[in-house]
Amino acid sequence: MRGRFISFEGGEGTGKSTHAKLLAERLRGLALDVVLTREPGGSVGAEIIRHVLLSGAAQPFGPDAEAILFAAARADHVDTVIRPALQRGAWVLCDRFIDSTRVYQGVAGQADPRIIRALERISVGDAMPDLTLVLDVLPEIGLQRAAARRRGESADRFEQEALDFHVKLHNAYRAAAEQAPGRCVLIDAVRPKDRVAEEIWTIVQQRLEPGRARASLAQAAS
Ligand code: T5A
């Protein structure tokens, strides 16, 4: 049986890592096999490309070139981590995935949409998320949260962009969620963490039925 694939999306400091971890704990509590991963990165090759991208070394080559590098990292991550995990029936929770490229490089960076679509076909194929949780926080608040978490360390390539760029991201994520209601759910993530976590758990239960997946596994093993 194919596992389940959930991606977490949103602008800077919206709580993606926090909620991916909390959901992983809940699913592991049901004795499900959970792979918690992130992009860019998540595999040996992709972590090397992450360093190039977030240091800003690829920025002078423009958003098309950055999109190509994100896709190269994604292809390695999908081939070596995500697809094998789904094939063995695991639940994959990924902190950012294709919507990040669509929104950061595509909408805010204005990369050529034909390049973005072609790269998706090559790097992702049929390994699309079953559910994408889009965490919605005003950019001013998200950037403050991200800065507080960094505790004085310097901002990365994308955090350093002007507020206008982050406003574009915020609007683009809301539009993306609206355009794909079968896959995406927009979540008001300004609320306290425990309330956001409860809403996420309710959505996951309604859409993907983890309790039932656990029961089928137990039946298959007996
Ligand atoms: N990128 C990535 C692209 O441009 N294209 C792509 O295709 C991909 C995959 C990755 C960067 O790369 C870009 C996007 C990014 O700029 P990253 O270091 O992986 O960079 O960082 P981000 O994914 O942006 O993650 P952040 O660490 O900025 O934010 P998170 O994960 O959304 O937020 P999190 O969970 O770390 O929370 C931030 C702080 O807020 C607190 C947390 O405790 C933490 O301190 N917090 C809350 N506080 C109050 N109330 C709540 N409800 C809170 N939820 C969390």
Side-chain angles (χ1 to χ4, degrees):
M1 186 185 109
R2 182 189 183 269
R4 296 283 182 275
F5 184 10
I6 304 175
S7 58
F8 289 77
E9 292 280 0
E12 309 294 317
T14 48
K16 299 171 298 296
S17 318
T18 302
H19 289 291
K21 271 188 214 122
L22 289 172
L23 180 60
E25 282 164 21
R26 272 198 128 139
L27 292 170
R28 284 181 182 133
L30 294 177
L32 288 165
D33 177 1
V34 178
V35 173
L36 178 59
T37 187
R38 69 167 179 186
E39 290 208 345
S43 62
V44 176
E47 287 292 331
I48 295 167
I49 301 174
R50 175 186 172 91
H51 178 71
V52 173
L53 282 161
L54 298 194
S55 67
Q59 188 174 7
F61 304 108
D64 288 355
E66 285 184 316
I68 291 167
L69 283 171
F70 277 112
R74 182 162 301 133
D76 187 60
H77 186 211
V78 168
D79 287 350
T80 63
V81 175
I82 295 178
R83 192 171 283 117
L86 291 174
Q87 281 168 351
R88 69 167 193 266
W91 285 60
V92 176
L93 308 188
C94 192
D95 185 348
R96 294 194 181 278
F97 198 60
I98 50 161
D99 297 285
S100 288
T101 309
R102 289 181 184 180
V103 165
Y104 278 73
Q105 283 65 52
V107 180
Q110 297 185 301
D112 185 335
R114 289 167 306 176
I115 293 183
I116 303 274
R117 276 197 298 277
L119 291 171
E120 270 181 28
R121 271 199 309 280
I122 297 164
S123 61
V124 177
D126 61 354
M128 278 293 286
D130 302 296
L131 173 64
T132 296
L133 300 161
V134 181
L135 303 189
D136 188 50
V137 171
L138 278 175
E140 292 85 343
I141 299 174
L143 288 168
Q144 268 171 23
R145 284 185 188 171
R149 192 220 41 222
R150 274 202 318 274
R151 293 198 191 97
E153 275 181 39
S154 57
D156 70 30
R157 143 87 185 90
F158 295 97
E159 276 176 44
Q160 280 175 20
E161 288 280 358
L163 182 61
D164 176 51
F165 180 89
H166 295 282
V167 171
K168 278 189 195 148
L169 297 176
H170 181 238
N171 293 335
Y173 268 121
R174 292 177 72 97
E178 207 175 300
Q179 280 158 20
R183 173 173 67 86
C184 298
V185 182
L186 188 73
I187 293 172
D188 172 7
V190 178
R191 296 168 299 165
K193 279 181 211 174
D194 53 346
R195 290 198 43 209
V196 177
E198 274 317 304
E199 185 182 348
I200 288 176
W201 184 233
T202 302
I203 292 163
V204 169
Q205 284 179 301
Q206 284 168 351
R207 293 218 175 193
L208 301 179
E209 301 183 318
R212 207 160 144 187
R214 176 63 212 141
S216 318
L217 282 177
Q219 202 175 26
S222 66

